[in-house]
Amino acid sequence: VRDETGLLLVGAGHAHLHVVAHAAELRAAGYRVRLLAPRWFDYSGVASATATGALPADAGRIDVRALAAGHGVELVEDTLVGIDTVARVATTADGAALAYDLVSLNVGSVAATHDIEVDDEVVRVKPLAGLGALATRLAAHPGATVTVVGGGSSGLELAAHLAVTRGVTRVRLVEAGPVLGPDLPGGARRSVTRLLARRGVEVHLGTPVRRLAGDHLLLGDGRRLDHDLAVLATGLVASPLLARLGLGDADGVPVTATLQHPDHPEMLAAGDCAHFLPQPLARIGVHGVRQGPVLLAGLLARAHGEPAPSYTPQRRALAVLDLGAGIGLAVRGRWWWRGRTAFLLKRRIDRRWLRRYRSPTPSGAA
Ligand SMILES: Cc1cc2nc3c(=O)[nH]c(=O)nc-3n(C[C@H](O)[C@H](O)[C@H](O)COP(=O)(O)OP(=O)(O)OC[C@H]3O[C@@H](n4cnc5c(N)ncnc54)[C@H](O)[C@@H]3O)c2cc1C
């Protein structure tokens, strides 16, 4: 009888959802697969729509418990709070100790605060469980003035959505830099800026925020702007838990092209919580999605004593922003398209991806 290799997957992020859906292959290769994660996964592709009430709150939700059960994976419905990399034991919030031979981390990111002093009442774009509170807060504040801080992709999406959300009177978008959407092609940037202007969004560029409170913000120059609700969308950093546990820093857990920690070969990481050493990667879901098959193939290769494959990021991935009211902005490299078809394309991609993990098949063929 062959000894089993204990594989502990921490976090049900995009990459791990793929691995869980293929657990049968891992079992056949000699792994005992356990997943440490909360029951629900929220998908960011529809997050702006669900957070503003344009879609029902559960439109992007995946039942991780059902997925794990459907693929014979033991789920520990909890979160990671500690890890002993020498003894190879992970600790959960409830105090359980989980021994492992191999551990893989896919715990995502949180909203970056940079050097802004941010109060607890402020809604953060990530984790998405926190962003979900926005819809409830909006319902409790009819006629609200909402400030979104940060003019990157998620800030643009949220400001554009809020501007067409019933019950929101005024939307303010505050950005420290000189332009909105600095990563977008120039034409796309101008197109979104025009759309926001048409929807009445008040845009403040070159305006660094010093303090962001539930009912007001203070600018670097001392000015105060009042609001009823505020959303922090100033970029994403790896979950701070990783730095606390000594596994990495705000960039994440360092990994080589095979998604392995360079000093701890028994540790892997994927998605937003990984710091991909070969080249900088944007914190976008597409990397987690595409790293899933690489992670799985690496685990299978390891079991068969073969070299693990490398992750090669696509040079120009397609990204589609949901700008609300049925309008999307599709971008790939310097190419871009704004309109209804971009929105429909996004919804089709989202639906197809969600369907994979909402109807688990015991064969593991996701
Ligand atoms: C508003 C918004 C819209 C976005 N839209 C897009 C988009 O359209 N396309 C795109 O590519 N990217 C988009 N992004 C970026 C995208 O959200 C992230 O890049 C993506 O979610 C990262 O995937 P991940 O698998 O690394 O982590 P996540 O999707 O964050 O998954 C991590 C999982 O780990 C769990 N977890 C966290 N901590 C622990 C713990 N201690 N123990 C156990 N489990 C834990 C979490 O509950 C979560 O389910 C958007 C982001 C935002 C904020």
Side-chain angles (χ1 to χ4, degrees), residues 41 74 80 86 88 90-91 124 141 150 181 197 207 256 271 316 329:
F41 167 86
E74 185 191 327
L80 177 79
V86 177
R88 297 190 186 179
T91 317
R124 286 145 166 91
H141 286 88
T207 310
T256 62
R316 286 175 304 182
L329 176 76

Side-chain angles (χ1 to χ4, degrees), residues 169-248:
T169 302
R170 186 174 176 200
V171 182
R172 183 187 291 132
L173 178 57
V174 184
E175 162 59 41
V179 290
L180 295 177
D183 299 333
L184 299 175
R189 212 187 291 148
R190 288 188 289 277
S191 173
V192 179
T193 305
R194 279 196 302 273
L195 176 127
L196 293 178
R198 250 200 327 275
R199 290 186 184 174
V201 176
E202 203 183 284
V203 175
H204 300 253
L205 296 174
T207 310
V209 173
R210 182 157 56 82
R211 176 168 149 70
L212 184 57
D215 61 354
H216 73 278
L217 62 78
L218 294 180
L219 298 175
D221 60 12
R223 267 185 302 151
R224 173 187 165 122
L225 301 175
D226 291 330
H227 49 238
D228 301 300
L229 288 168
V231 181
L232 181 74
T234 41
L236 302 175
V237 289
S239 166
L241 171 75
L242 304 169
R244 264 201 316 274
L245 299 182
L247 303 178

Side-chain angles (χ1 to χ4, degrees), residues 11 14 41 44 79-80 106-108 126 271-272 283-286 346:
H14 297 71
F41 167 86
S44 58
T79 51
L80 177 79
N106 189 193
V107 293
K126 274 216 124 183
D272 279 9
R283 289 205 154 80
I284 47 174
V286 72
K346 180 175 178 69

